[in-house]
């Protein structure tokens, strides 16, 4: 890609992505009676590289998939099971996650090339986890055949920055507290996370879910699924942090744009919210474990999934998994 085209694409991303929805006021964190969801057609394993213990025991075609292609207009698009044969994720029991079934992304304002790429991946269903305001400001561009499932995780029509953010440290602390509260204490958000996972389990075909930046709501939904599948905490957080690699060019362009329009001091205050950070992941995970004791208990008591749902998730995604009877 030449530098001129790259710069134009980055500027487009800036204009469409400056709205950062996850940092919200107390009204969101207590679970508003906003929109929920609707459907329309329109043991630690710190190695992210899969083991080879199942390769000779199965002919599962996902083991031989080509690398996940890049999406020009959605830089954070990737497979929740790993983007290549060499990075195919494996759980703590040594079972590989099936690639090519569920993808995650930032929002999808696709060009013609991207639409052909999604078609080649046979993606049939897209889950949009954003608020109505986000969808209006930054609409997806998808093929007419795509089944679109709208699940507003926040449960509000819009969101705004809370007061009291005067330093980068304030932003880090408030952001971490916000995402932790949403994951562990907002019953409405939990129900909607659960609804998304339930639909991912029982919907046929290839699927992708996304929010605006593909890092906070999407990041926690991905991590919850991976942890339920038995991926280690270390592997889940490594995958979560990959967002910083995938979005580095866009985030840097956004930061420079903020410096030029708002000044360096203001841009530096906002800068931590443009990334994912280990402390954000840890804040969510630790609060969930504090409240529920385990990820499985979180899924059943918080997200409303049954033990059978969790078993069916494992059957769907884990290669060689045999359901407990």
């Amino acid at each position: 890609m030449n530098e001129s085209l790259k710069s134009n694409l980055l500027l487009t991303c800036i204009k469409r992505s400056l709205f950062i929805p996850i940092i919200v006021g107390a009204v969101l964190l207590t679970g508003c009676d906003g929109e929920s969801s609707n459907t329309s057609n329109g043991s630690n394993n710190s190695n992210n590289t899969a083991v080879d213990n199942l390769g000779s025991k199965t002919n599962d075609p996902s083991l031989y998939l080509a690398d996940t292609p890049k999406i020009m207009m959605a830089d954070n698009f990737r497979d929740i099971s790993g983007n290549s044969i060499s990075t195919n994720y494996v759980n703590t029991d040594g079972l590989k996650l099936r690639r090519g079934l569920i993808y995650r992304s930032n929002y999808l304002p696709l060009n013609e090339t991207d639409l052909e790429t999604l078609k080649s991946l046979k993606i049939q269903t897209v889950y949009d986890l954003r608020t109505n305001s986000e969808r209006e400001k930054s609409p997806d561009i998808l093929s007419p055949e795509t089944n679109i499932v709208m699940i507003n995780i926040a449960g509000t029509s819009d969101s705004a920055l809370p007061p009291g953010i005067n330093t980068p440290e304030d932003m880090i602390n408030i952001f971490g507290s916000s995402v932790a509260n949403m994951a562990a204490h907002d019953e409405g958000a939990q129900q909607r996370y659960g609804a998304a996972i339930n639909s991912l389990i029982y919907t046929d075909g290839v699927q992708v879910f996304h929010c605006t930046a593909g890092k906070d709501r999407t990041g926690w939904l991905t991590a919850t699924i991976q942890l339920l599948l038995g991926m280690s905490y270390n592997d889940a957080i490594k995958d979560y942090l990959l967002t910083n690699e995938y979005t580095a060019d866009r985030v840097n362009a956004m930061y420079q744009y903020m410096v030029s329009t708002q000044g360096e001091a203001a841009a530096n205050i906002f800068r931590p919210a443009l990334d994912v950070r280990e402390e954000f992941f840890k804040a969510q995970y630790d609060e969930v474990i504090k409240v529920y004791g385990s990820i499985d208990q979180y899924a059943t008591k918080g997200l409303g999934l049954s033990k059978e749902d969790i078993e069916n998730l494992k059957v769907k995604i884990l290669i060689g998994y045999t359901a407990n009877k």
Side-chain angles (χ1 to χ4, degrees):
M1 184 186 304
N2 64 51
E3 290 302 314
S4 176
L5 177 58
K6 184 175 181 180
S7 297
N8 289 336
L9 289 173
L10 288 173
L11 182 58
T12 300
C13 289
I14 291 169
K15 292 178 178 177
R16 291 172 171 170
S17 303
L18 281 176
F19 180 66
I20 305 295
I22 196 65
I23 308 179
V24 292
V27 63
L28 186 152
L29 296 177
T30 55
C32 294
D33 292 328
E35 52 179 312
S36 56
S37 65
N38 57 79
T39 304
S40 67
N41 272 342
S43 51
N44 288 333
N45 174 18
S46 59
N47 183 4
N48 273 358
T49 302
V51 296
D52 294 324
N53 61 331
L54 287 176
S56 61
K57 299 179 182 179
T58 179
N59 290 319
D60 193 292
S62 75
L63 293 172
Y64 312 104
L65 284 181
D67 292 358
T68 302
K70 292 185 180 298
I71 303 297
M72 185 181 300
M73 300 302 294
D75 54 13
N76 209 9
F77 179 89
R78 58 191 200 265
D79 193 319
I80 71 165
S81 298
N83 268 356
S84 67
I85 293 174
S86 65
T87 60
N88 191 169
Y89 293 136
V90 58
N91 75 359
T92 55
D93 293 322
L95 298 178
K96 293 179 181 179
L97 279 61
R98 186 170 281 113
R99 296 176 57 232
L101 280 184
I102 300 176
Y103 296 89
R104 55 171 291 177
S105 185
N106 46 332
Y107 86 106
L108 299 165
L110 305 182
N111 59 27
E112 289 298 323
T113 300
D114 292 336
L115 288 169
E116 285 300 314
T117 300
L118 256 66
K119 183 177 180 180
S120 73
L121 296 174
K122 301 181 179 179
I123 291 175
Q124 300 174 9
T125 303
V126 173
Y127 297 83
D128 190 333
L129 308 180
R130 302 176 295 167
T131 65
N132 274 344
S133 175
E134 290 173 88
R135 295 175 191 136
E136 291 169 1
K137 292 175 181 177
S138 304
D140 284 347
I141 300 175
L142 300 166
S143 69
E145 298 80 19
T146 305
N147 182 43
I148 303 168
V149 182
M150 293 178 285
I151 303 178
N152 174 6
I153 295 296
T156 60
S157 59
D158 204 343
S159 55
L161 288 170
I165 300 177
N166 301 308
T167 67
E169 291 73 23
D170 290 340
M171 180 66 78
I172 292 170
N173 292 334
I174 291 176
F175 200 106
S177 176
S178 295
V179 295
N181 273 283
M182 178 175 281
H185 296 289
D186 185 336
E187 293 182 2
Q190 290 175 352
Q191 291 169 4
R192 291 182 282 273
Y193 276 127
I197 294 174
N198 184 276
S199 188
L200 287 164
I201 295 169
Y202 296 110
T203 298
D204 293 332
V206 183
Q207 306 169 81
V208 58
F209 57 85
H210 74 86
C211 51
T212 294
K215 67 187 187 70
D216 300 312
R217 289 158 291 186
T218 294
W220 182 246
L221 179 57
T222 301
T224 300
I225 293 170
Q226 291 172 336
L227 292 167
L228 286 173
L229 292 169
M231 275 179 58
S232 71
Y233 175 93
N234 286 342
D235 282 354
I237 197 169
K238 285 178 181 178
D239 181 71
Y240 172 83
L241 292 172
L242 282 176
T243 283
N244 293 338
E245 297 182 22
Y246 279 79
T247 65
D249 288 345
R250 171 168 54 87
V251 167
N252 183 60
M254 290 170 64
Y255 172 73
Q256 296 301 329
Y257 178 82
M258 292 166 64
V259 169
S260 67
T261 58
Q262 303 174 43
E264 186 173 3
N268 287 342
I269 291 172
F270 198 78
R271 181 63 180 81
L274 300 180
D275 288 329
V276 292
R277 290 171 172 254
E278 186 170 350
E279 52 261 54
F280 297 158
F281 186 97
K282 188 175 187 300
Q284 294 173 95
Y285 180 86
D286 288 353
E287 193 66 16
V288 162
I289 298 305
K290 177 182 175 182
V291 174
Y292 292 99
S294 70
I295 289 295
D296 277 10
Q297 292 278 49
Y298 172 61
T300 55
K301 294 182 178 180
L303 307 187
L305 299 173
S306 68
K307 292 182 179 179
E308 181 181 6
D309 293 333
I310 298 171
E311 283 294 297
N312 287 333
L313 174 66
K314 293 177 179 178
V315 169
K316 182 170 189 171
I317 304 297
L318 294 176
I319 299 173
Y321 182 79
T322 302
N324 294 320
K325 301 297 184 180

